[in-house]
Amino acid sequence: SSANDSVTPLPECGTFTNNVFDNEYFGIKYSLPTGWAEKFKGPPPSDSGRYVLAQIGAPDAYKGSNRGNILMTAQDLFFTPLPATNAVELINYTKEHLLADYNVEAPPSQTKIAGHAFVSFAYRSPVAQLHWYILATEIRCHVVQIVMTSRDPKLLDRLILEMNSMQLSSDTSPASGLGAGSSPVCVKGY
């Protein structure tokens, strides 16, 4: 990060207040599911421009039979080592490079979450009995991914429905989303 003041929002500086995740840099406000909380603080940004924005899960005292996790990440498209220039290409790359142990449950497709365009993709591991649902969109030259994992696909479907209350910048899209309202547009090499 190159911010030299304490007021410029940074990609990795999301906050949790009153069970709401807020990331000013990306213009995301997300009310966590009832009983869920931030599980761990993310590591610092990687050399390839990958940020862990939030790691959310049911608390240890959760009494439900099926647990789950939500991982929110952002991949800076200027620094990604992958051959992807937007969310659609990144999700297609993920699908094309699944290991043989995984099965596609739902191929990449366009969807709407909270009135905003996302690309979605789902796969599973029959051996581990785990399901991964991925939602991705582009905001400020980053692919923002929301990865939900659980043994219970009904729980994952419910989590996606609950995401319709999420607030996002009006400029998001799976390809060339500007996003974050008044924040400056990212310019490669600037």
Side-chain angles (χ1 to χ4, degrees):
S1 116
S2 61
N4 58 6
D5 59 62
S6 61
V7 294
T8 302
L10 301 174
E12 67 272 22
C13 289
T15 60
F16 286 88
T17 307
N18 297 326
N19 218 35
V20 174
F21 170 71
D22 184 6
N23 186 295
E24 192 177 338
Y25 184 88
F26 292 110
I28 300 171
K29 280 190 188 282
Y30 171 55
S31 295
L32 276 58
T34 303
W36 291 50
E38 179 182 30
K39 294 292 282 186
F40 307 101
K41 294 285 185 195
S46 72
D47 292 344
S48 64
R50 188 163 182 86
Y51 302 88
V52 174
L53 305 179
Q55 297 182 72
I56 303 164
D60 293 336
Y62 180 73
K63 300 293 184 213
S65 60
N66 289 307
R67 301 178 70 99
N69 290 295
I70 301 170
L71 174 66
M72 296 178 80
T73 65
Q75 174 62 61
D76 188 322
L77 292 171
F78 294 155
F79 300 103
T80 181
L82 302 176
T85 61
N86 59 45
V88 175
E89 291 176 5
L90 189 62
I91 292 297
N92 284 331
Y93 180 88
T94 301
K95 177 190 171 282
E96 292 164 7
H97 290 85
L98 279 180
L99 298 176
D101 296 344
Y102 299 101
N103 302 109
V104 172
E105 283 191 294
S109 64
Q110 299 282 326
T111 190
K112 290 264 187 180
I113 301 292
H116 299 279
F118 280 78
V119 60
S120 66
F121 172 55
Y123 64 96
R124 70 184 184 100
S125 166
V127 173
Q129 299 177 5
L130 283 171
H131 303 263
W132 288 264
Y133 286 17
I134 303 173
L135 300 167
T137 194
E138 188 177 329
I139 304 173
R140 299 199 70 215
C141 307
H142 293 73
V143 173
V144 175
Q145 288 190 29
I146 303 164
V147 181
M148 294 166 275
T149 309
S150 177
R151 289 180 175 230
D152 182 3
K154 290 179 183 177
L155 169 66
L156 299 176
D157 290 337
R158 195 167 53 251
L159 289 173
I160 289 175
L161 283 175
E162 290 177 6
M163 288 196 137
N164 279 309
S165 65
M166 181 171 37
Q167 296 173 17
L168 292 167
S169 174
S170 61
D171 299 332
T172 62
S173 79
S176 69
L178 299 175
S182 64
S183 296
V185 174
C186 302
V187 179
K188 189 169 187 168
Y190 179 75

